[in-house]
């Protein structure tokens, strides 16, 4: 059985990346980060959006959960953790509409690397 535990360090990383990169379209109050334990997935991380029908039926604003597969994510270097988080963030559309962007033009390793370099440069500048 999979167990989910809220990740405060994951949420701090998310907040830092969003703030440093100026990704103001992301409402951090509506995104949670969790570690999953016991997942059989080959993924390192996944992003989940609450289905539109649920949001509309319960009159909720869009909600997202970034799942970090603990066994895999914990083995990554700090650089790779940041890149994985950036990758998951890229799945959130600019309108923060509750949908998810597919891999392709906006979600790919080129975009991840570009934002990672920008993030590191801005962090060094701020130090």
């Amino acid at each position: 059985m999979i167990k989910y535990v809220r990740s405060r360090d994951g949420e701090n990383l998310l907040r830092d990346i969003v703030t440093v990169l100026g990704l103001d379209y992301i409402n951090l109050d509506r995104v949670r980060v969790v570690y999953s334990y016991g997942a059989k997935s080959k993924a390192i991380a996944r992003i989940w959006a609450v289905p539109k029908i649920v949001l509309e039926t319960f009159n909720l604003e869009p909600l997202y959960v970034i799942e970090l597969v603990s066994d895999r994510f914990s083995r990554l270097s700090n650089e790779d953790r940041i890149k994985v988080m950036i990758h998951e963030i890229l799945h959130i559309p600019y309108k923060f509409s509750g949908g998810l962007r597919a891999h392709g033009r906006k979600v790919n390793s080129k975009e991840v690397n570009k934002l990672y370099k920008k993030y590191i440069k801005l962090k060094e500048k701020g130090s």
Side-chain angles (χ1 to χ4, degrees):
M1 182 167 69
I2 298 176
K3 181 179 177 183
Y4 301 101
V5 177
R6 189 167 176 184
S7 171
R8 299 291 181 176
D9 58 327
E11 288 177 5
N12 289 338
L13 177 58
L14 171 70
R15 178 171 281 104
D16 189 56
I17 292 168
V18 166
T19 303
V20 169
L21 291 176
L23 305 175
D24 300 335
Y25 67 94
I26 295 178
N27 182 341
L28 292 168
D29 293 331
R30 310 209 57 80
V31 182
R32 293 286 182 266
V33 180
V34 299
Y35 281 118
S36 62
Y37 297 90
K40 301 282 188 243
S41 174
K42 292 181 180 178
I44 295 169
R46 300 182 272 217
I47 187 164
W48 301 86
V50 175
K52 189 94 168 154
I53 190 168
V54 174
L55 295 175
E56 287 191 19
T57 303
F58 287 93
N59 197 30
L60 297 171
E61 296 294 318
L63 297 168
Y64 293 93
V65 176
I66 296 174
E67 174 191 357
L68 307 174
V69 179
S70 180
D71 296 349
R72 297 178 180 277
F73 190 80
S74 63
R75 288 189 242 143
L76 297 177
S77 66
N78 194 48
E79 176 181 334
D80 286 338
R81 288 179 187 197
I82 294 166
K83 286 181 177 181
V84 166
M85 188 65 77
I86 289 171
H87 175 94
E88 297 310 320
I89 291 168
L90 288 174
H91 282 292
I92 300 173
Y94 292 131
K95 293 188 178 193
F96 202 83
S97 59
L100 290 171
R101 279 196 204 126
H103 293 114
R105 201 167 61 94
K106 302 267 186 184
V107 184
N108 58 58
S109 58
K110 182 180 175 184
E111 287 297 313
V112 169
N113 289 327
K114 182 173 86 176
L115 286 175
Y116 175 77
K117 287 176 185 168
K118 181 179 177 183
Y119 172 79
I120 294 302
K121 188 175 185 179
L122 290 169
K123 287 291 280 187
E124 288 172 354
K125 210 177 205 181
S127 297

